[in-house]
Amino acid sequence: MRGGSTVEAAALLTHERLLGQRLLLHIKARFVVAPAIVAAALIGHSVLGIDGLEVRSLTLVAGFIAAYNVAILRVAWSRCDPEHAAEHRRVLRRLFRGSMVLDFLALTIVVWLVGGARSPFLAFYLFHVVITSLLLSRTTAMIAVATASVLLSTLVLCEYFGLIPARMPVGAVMGGGPIDGRYALTLVLVYPTLFVLVGLLLTSLVQALRRAEADIQSKTIELQKLSTMRQEFLRVALHDINSPVGVVSMLVGNMRQGLCGPLDQRQQDQLDRALKQLGGIDALLKDLRLLSELDTTDLAEHSIEVSLAFLLDEVIEEHADLAAAHRHTLRTEPGEGAALVFGVPRLLKEAIVNYVTNAIKYTPDGGTIVARVLEREEFVRLEVSDNGIGISAGDQQRLFQEFTRLGRSNPHTSKVRGAGLGLSLVRRIAEMHGGTVGARSRTGEGSTFWLELPACRRTPDVAS
């Protein structure tokens, strides 16, 4: 039962899920309006000297508002949680409609006591119609329009025909004497027409927005399902593929080392090629494991203060042999401090590794690779620069997209294996940590890839 209600609640649009919260907001507003009516009446009578202002009657109206507001609050209090909106939607709608009718009734009494058809508070009818049209359903908005039209027309006609006495507090209302028939007719025709037009216009606009919201919500739910399916597929695929690949790599490696007997040159070459292919598969599996992990990692739970400068030094040291194998000069520029950021060290290190290994792989042998960490007021910037082949302006726009391999026609880069996931993983890691990534490059002049993360400002003792 709980699971079904959760699914139903998830299918509700925002305005339906927040119905209880909006009802509470209206309740809070009434608790402000009720004493405001009393205060305004006292100030108008005692300070401003408005004659004929019925303070006692207005105080009774304020008490009436407070009384039904307390009753609505008692019923609505336990039903306003957005997570259980589906369970209490019908009750909340009834409470909203009932309170709306009572609000219009209280407003009509206040308008009658402060000038009737000449009251400066007539505009509050329109205010109520606007609020109802924006926040509630079209049916409820039309009920509000009908209620406002009936109550206002009844007040004006009863005052015109003498069925109720006119209240004309001097100083609050302009003019006096009997209401003119033409003025009464104008009010009866103009205000209800205005209510209808405003209600129809606003509800049409709101309905269009809610249709768009429903469409976005359905697409979001579909994307969530696809994301869940992808995560499950990655989990199963990695589990089923990782072990066999590891076993095959071990067996082929054993053969290459001659543990299964002597090999001629041709056999050694074939096994070397096989190991190279298996190495590419292993790198792909590593990227897929990281991709799966990014979808499920609770960043807040695993994040700590970490020195980006320390991680960079560690990565450079670990990849010194790989750089030396390509006769690269791999070094870091000294920084000014620890460059503290808040994040998951292993993920941040993986992003740095990706930048450094890319520079090593895509720079022709004998190149220079320089990494640096720059501290700014609000962020820490890590850069990895090389004097490699560079990237064209057109290709730079696609650098950080998933499964993007660039430069396949280049003789040097075409030999580099990969699935095109690395830079997209760097982008996702940076975005998870509230950061950004980017690159600047010129063909034939090299590239600089950068990563910016929000900085942690701590004392020197903590930084050390």
Side-chain angles (χ1 to χ4, degrees):
M1 183 67 179
R2 176 71 63 182
S5 63
T6 301
V7 172
E8 185 179 357
L12 296 178
L13 296 182
T14 301
H15 75 281
E16 293 176 311
R17 282 188 277 109
L18 297 180
L19 192 61
Q21 298 297 311
R22 288 173 176 170
L23 182 59
L24 285 179
L25 182 62
H26 281 223
I27 290 173
K28 292 176 182 177
R30 288 191 201 96
F31 280 128
V32 174
V33 169
I37 291 175
V38 177
L42 292 173
I43 292 173
H45 177 72
S46 303
V47 178
L48 301 180
I50 297 177
D51 295 330
L53 190 61
E54 300 189 19
V55 176
R56 183 171 180 274
S57 298
L58 288 171
T59 302
L60 290 175
V61 174
F64 170 64
I65 294 173
Y68 74 72
N69 201 38
V70 169
I72 294 171
L73 177 61
R74 293 185 62 181
V75 177
W77 182 254
S78 61
R79 297 177 169 86
C80 291
D81 186 358
E83 296 299 325
H84 303 95
E87 302 174 18
H88 307 298
R89 180 173 40 172
R90 187 169 299 176
V91 174
L92 293 174
R93 282 179 176 173
R94 289 175 179 173
L95 286 174
F96 231 128
R97 291 172 181 175
S99 65
M100 177 194 65
V101 172
L102 291 173
D103 287 341
F104 275 119
L105 181 60
L107 174 61
T108 302
I109 297 173
V110 170
V111 168
W112 172 53
L113 293 173
V114 190
R118 300 179 179 87
S119 175
F121 297 105
L122 288 176
F124 278 89
Y125 282 104
L126 183 60
F127 172 77
H128 275 68
V129 169
V130 169
I131 294 298
T132 305
S133 300
L134 289 175
L135 299 182
L136 303 177
S137 67
R138 186 164 197 164
T139 300
T140 305
M142 290 301 101
I143 293 175
V145 168
T147 303
S149 300
V150 169
L151 289 176
L152 177 59
S153 299
T154 300
L155 173 64
V156 172
L157 293 176
C158 286
E159 186 176 332
Y160 174 70
F161 289 110
L163 299 178
I164 57 174
R167 298 287 195 267
M168 296 293 173
V170 179
V173 179
M174 294 292 293
I179 185 173
D180 187 276
R182 293 165 296 182
Y183 178 69
L185 181 61
T186 300
L187 288 180
V188 170
L189 292 178
V190 171
Y191 267 89
T193 301
L194 182 61
F195 296 158
V196 171
L197 291 176
V198 169
L200 289 175
L201 178 63
L202 289 179
T203 53
S204 298
L205 175 62
V206 171
Q207 280 189 324
L209 293 175
R210 288 173 180 171
R211 281 194 296 268
E213 181 191 2
D215 185 51
I216 292 172
Q217 188 178 62
S218 66
K219 286 181 171 58
T220 301
I221 293 174
E222 187 65 27
L223 287 174
Q224 289 173 343
K225 291 179 180 178
L226 291 174
S227 178
T228 302
M229 290 172 61
R230 185 185 74 165
Q231 293 172 21
E232 185 63 20
F233 170 77
L234 282 176
R235 186 186 66 80
V236 173
L238 289 171
H239 178 270
D240 292 345
I241 296 174
N242 194 58
S243 294
V245 169
V247 171
V248 172
S249 297
M250 181 187 67
L251 294 176
V252 174
N254 290 341
M255 292 178 64
R256 178 63 181 86
Q257 294 174 15
L259 299 181
C260 300
L263 302 170
D264 59 33
Q265 187 60 45
R266 182 180 178 186
Q267 291 171 332
Q268 292 177 7
D269 292 341
Q270 293 293 322
L271 290 175
D272 286 339
R273 292 176 62 184
L275 287 172
K276 186 176 181 181
Q277 295 292 330
L278 288 170
I281 295 175
D282 187 62
L284 173 60
L285 291 176
K286 179 183 176 183
D287 285 346
L288 290 176
R289 281 194 296 271
L290 182 58
L291 182 63
S292 176
E293 189 175 348
L294 290 178
D295 289 330
T296 56
T297 296
D298 185 346
L299 195 66
E301 182 180 349
H302 296 89
S303 293
I304 60 172
E305 286 183 4
V306 58
S307 168
L308 210 59
F310 174 80
L311 289 180
L312 177 60
D313 289 339
E314 195 175 59
V315 170
I316 294 299
E317 182 180 350
E318 291 174 356
H319 291 79
D321 292 340
L322 179 61
H326 291 270
R327 303 193 307 279
H328 292 322
T329 299
L330 176 62
R331 61 183 177 85
T332 58
E333 289 184 352
E336 299 175 354
L340 290 177
V341 297
F342 192 71
V344 182
R346 186 170 46 78
L347 294 181
L348 295 175
K349 183 177 179 180
E350 192 65 40
I352 301 172
V353 167
N354 203 287
Y355 274 173
V356 172
T357 55
N358 273 1
I360 294 173
K361 290 186 294 185
Y362 289 98
T363 300
D365 289 355
T368 300
I369 300 167
V370 180
R372 63 187 69 88
V373 174
L374 307 173
E375 292 191 79
R376 300 292 184 263
E377 285 295 326
E378 302 295 333
F379 63 88
V380 175
R381 181 183 179 105
L382 178 139
E383 295 183 348
V384 177
S385 302
D386 62 64
N387 61 346
I389 60 175
I391 306 167
S392 68
D395 285 342
Q396 289 181 42
Q397 299 177 0
R398 301 187 293 124
L399 272 176
F400 293 92
Q401 298 176 6
E402 288 186 356
F403 302 104
T404 297
R405 288 291 313 278
L406 304 178
R408 293 180 183 273
S409 59
N410 187 295
H412 179 76
T413 58
S414 61
K415 299 177 183 178
V416 179
R417 304 193 59 81
L421 275 174
L423 290 179
S424 69
L425 293 175
V426 175
R427 174 182 57 80
R428 291 192 59 183
I429 291 171
E431 291 174 350
M432 286 178 65
H433 290 80
T436 57
V437 296
R440 60 180 184 272
S441 179
R442 281 190 174 185
T443 304
E445 297 183 11
S447 307
T448 295
F449 285 82
W450 53 264
L451 162 68
E452 287 184 354
L453 298 172
C456 284
R457 291 302 174 193
R458 294 292 184 268
T459 63
D461 290 339
V462 175
S464 62

